[in-house]
Amino acid sequence: MNKTNAFNHYKLNNSCDLHIFNSNKFKTNLIQMVIIEKLAAETVSANALLPYVFYRGSNKYSTTREFKIRLNELYGAELSISVLKRGENQLLIFSLELPNEIFLPDQTPLFREGLKLLYELVLNPAMKEEYIEQEKDNLQRKIGALINDKYSYAVERCYQEMCANETYGLYKLGKKKDLEVITKEQLLKRYNSIINNSVILFFVVGDVEDNRVLSDINTVFDFKHKQSKGINKTELISQVSDVKEIKDKMKVKQGKLIMGFRTGITRGSKSYYPLIVYNGILGAFPHSKLFQNVRERSSLAYFANSGLETTKGLLLISSGIDFNVYQKAREIILQQVEEIKKGNFTVQELDWAKMSLQNRFKNIADRIDGLAGHYLLGLINNNPESIDKSLDSISAVKREDVINIAKQIKLDTIYFLDRQEGER
């Protein structure tokens, strides 16, 4: 049996790509179908709507309930759909995790039956008018509900302002007003377009035989498709002319201060690992500078952290603060950014960041969906690699590498979600 520590790549008969990771670590198998579309104002809403309409019923399983009954028959398999944004790409992900049939008491070909169910979901959807209208309403509610989560809302608003003239500024689920006017005919046209021409990737993770997986997917997913060339066409911007300052006012009990930076570095860059170590020192962990100096020592924030978008080359510093400490919090946050640029961080801070990152990657390797997600992000950025390679690359990062990264990062946008006038 072929067992490796890396994904094996195969080309399917329909020109889609298949990536298989063999591991006997898991008792279940994961099958993922990932559709990658270029993020665009004209299509983002319809694309986001499609997975939800799919799950309402197929021509064989006419309701969501029938899908769930079939999942129970497959020994409690789990089916999920998600819409993500990675760089200027919209990802529609269909995941099926089911028990590995080698552990079953009978000879049920569970993997192949799972593939048939996934085929029904994506390739044989009912697309009924009533399902489309109901899911348009549900998706509009999801978009409208973003404002109820003030942290997520503030982060999204910062991205929108920071990338106002770039497609990355589009929300992953689209716009309510665009959903309103989508017709069944338009949605069918969009569906046919993505099935025929988008980038479609399959991932299988588990204790499987490559040849059998390849044969089963070729047999079940026998549909016409022309694989687009080039997964990722994200525009990378690293220069900043003027720092934008945006302030929204709402009825909120806590201010949200979000600072957006351009790194100019993606997952595919040679500087990627120095960048994530830099972020580890700055704000990714409880031992990082932002948490220790802004929250713990200065008591200026309820939370303070930083995160990366490594397909678009962005870094976001997020904090929850009292309204009257806005200037002071902003000053001390930017001071932490300057301190790393000057090399003012200890050997212990560097080692803790590297150790915490390595633990994070090891945790990814212990999750069946984590392995697929890690490899997918590498593929999008034209640098797929194993977890072991990531661990080695983190170990190799030196102090000078981090300082060089710190000098490249540029503040682009400061966003503050403030309280309304007269509120206390």
Side-chain angles (χ1 to χ4, degrees):
M1 186 177 290
N2 179 26
K3 301 296 175 194
T4 69
N5 193 27
F7 279 84
N8 297 321
H9 173 245
Y10 302 92
K11 205 72 174 173
L12 295 171
N13 292 341
N14 57 21
S15 85
C16 296
D17 292 277
L18 167 65
H19 302 273
I20 303 175
F21 187 95
N22 269 298
S23 172
N24 53 15
K25 182 190 296 185
F26 308 106
K27 302 296 184 188
T28 57
N29 290 329
L30 174 71
I31 308 168
Q32 275 192 346
M33 183 178 182
V34 180
I35 299 173
I36 303 178
E37 270 278 295
K38 169 75 176 168
L39 198 63
E42 300 78 20
T43 57
V44 62
S45 303
N47 288 345
L49 178 61
L50 281 168
Y52 299 100
V53 175
F54 292 171
Y55 208 2
R56 290 301 305 274
S58 73
N59 290 315
K60 183 174 182 180
Y61 304 103
S62 61
T63 64
T64 303
R65 182 174 178 274
E66 289 187 24
F67 269 128
K68 290 184 176 177
I69 290 172
R70 182 57 182 152
L71 288 168
N72 281 333
E73 291 170 349
L74 298 178
Y75 291 85
E78 294 184 6
L79 179 63
S80 64
I81 56 175
S82 53
V83 179
L84 305 179
K85 182 172 75 171
R86 295 290 180 267
E88 293 172 351
N89 306 288
Q90 190 178 24
L91 277 57
L92 314 181
I93 302 181
F94 308 89
S95 301
L96 181 66
E97 186 173 351
L98 68 175
N100 193 322
E101 61 203 48
I102 63 176
F103 300 111
L104 298 182
D106 57 26
Q107 299 300 310
T108 302
L110 208 59
F111 185 86
R112 180 182 277 230
E113 291 303 311
L115 286 175
K116 290 178 180 176
L117 185 64
L118 200 57
Y119 178 91
E120 279 296 314
L121 180 81
V122 184
L123 275 300
N124 196 24
M127 302 286 273
K128 293 181 181 178
E129 188 88 44
E130 62 180 292
Y131 293 166
I132 294 170
E133 291 305 314
Q134 288 168 1
E135 291 310 314
K136 280 167 60 176
D137 186 55
N138 288 338
L139 196 53
Q140 286 175 312
R141 290 173 194 269
K142 281 180 194 283
I143 296 169
L146 178 64
I147 203 167
N148 297 328
D149 178 348
K150 296 299 186 288
Y151 169 71
S152 298
Y153 176 79
V155 167
E156 188 62 30
R157 284 284 296 123
C158 185
Y159 278 139
Q160 286 175 356
E161 294 292 342
M162 190 174 177
C163 304
N165 299 316
E166 303 157 57
T167 52
Y168 188 80
L170 295 168
Y171 185 44
K172 64 180 182 179
L173 297 181
K175 294 182 178 179
K176 291 168 69 175
K177 66 180 179 64
D178 292 343
L179 284 165
E180 184 66 40
V181 296
I182 292 174
T183 65
K184 179 179 178 180
E185 290 69 29
Q186 290 170 331
L187 196 63
L188 281 170
K189 186 177 178 183
R190 184 94 284 276
Y191 170 72
N192 288 326
S193 175
I194 68 166
I195 292 301
N196 291 332
N197 303 312
S198 294
V199 172
I200 298 181
L201 310 176
F202 286 86
F203 293 87
V204 173
V205 181
D207 194 353
V208 294
E209 296 283 352
D210 283 23
N211 289 339
R212 185 180 164 195
V213 169
L214 185 61
S215 172
D216 282 351
I217 295 183
N218 271 329
T219 301
V220 176
F221 283 85
D222 182 17
F223 65 100
K224 291 183 179 178
H225 175 75
K226 183 179 180 182
Q227 188 85 323
S228 293
K229 292 181 179 176
I231 294 178
N232 180 24
K233 295 173 183 172
T234 299
E235 181 186 15
L236 190 62
I237 296 175
S238 55
Q239 298 302 315
V240 178
S241 53
D242 298 303
V243 176
K244 288 179 274 190
E245 296 197 37
I246 309 295
K247 185 178 288 188
D248 284 341
K249 294 191 176 187
M250 296 177 63
K251 189 175 181 180
V252 290
K253 294 181 178 178
Q254 183 189 103
K256 300 291 186 293
L257 174 58
I258 315 291
M259 296 184 181
F261 297 76
R262 303 273 182 181
T263 70
I265 298 166
T266 69
R267 172 71 176 271
S269 306
K270 289 181 179 176
S271 299
Y272 170 71
Y273 288 100
L275 172 67
I276 64 172
V277 174
Y278 164 83
N279 185 51
I281 295 171
L282 177 64
F285 304 106
H287 52 71
S288 302
K289 284 185 176 295
L290 289 174
F291 188 88
Q292 289 299 316
N293 294 312
V294 181
R295 185 183 186 279
E296 296 295 281
R297 294 195 178 94
S298 303
S299 299
L300 287 172
Y302 299 101
F303 67 87
N305 56 53
S306 62
L308 296 165
E309 207 298 348
T310 57
T311 303
K312 180 65 178 168
L314 305 177
L315 180 148
L316 234 59
I317 293 178
S318 307
S319 59
I321 61 173
D322 282 332
F323 306 104
N324 57 0
V325 300
Y326 170 75
Q327 288 297 342
K328 188 66 178 176
R330 171 177 158 161
E331 178 186 317
I332 293 188
I333 287 171
L334 291 176
Q335 186 182 347
Q336 307 315 306
V337 176
E338 289 301 311
E339 289 298 317
I340 303 179
K341 199 181 293 183
K342 294 174 184 172
N344 291 334
F345 56 90
T346 65
V347 172
Q348 191 177 46
E349 285 177 296
L350 176 64
D351 290 344
W352 279 353
K354 291 165 74 169
M355 183 176 67
S356 296
L357 283 165
Q358 288 176 320
N359 287 336
R360 183 175 286 180
F361 276 90
K362 289 174 185 173
N363 287 334
I364 289 172
D366 286 336
R367 296 189 352 254
I368 198 165
D369 60 334
L371 283 165
H374 175 264
Y375 200 72
L376 170 61
L377 193 58
L379 283 171
I380 291 173
N381 286 281
N382 201 30
N383 187 29
E385 57 189 9
S386 68
I387 295 286
D388 286 347
K389 177 74 176 359
S390 295
L391 295 175
D392 290 344
S393 298
I394 291 168
S395 293
V397 174
K398 298 182 174 64
R399 179 183 185 83
E400 295 73 29
D401 301 328
V402 174
I403 296 171
N404 286 334
I405 292 298
K407 291 176 180 175
Q408 296 178 43
I409 290 172
K410 298 178 178 65
L411 179 61
D412 183 292
T413 300
I414 300 173
Y415 173 85
F416 186 50
L417 181 57
D418 199 357
R419 64 184 168 190
Q420 292 175 334
E421 298 295 339
E423 296 215 359
R424 300 181 61 185

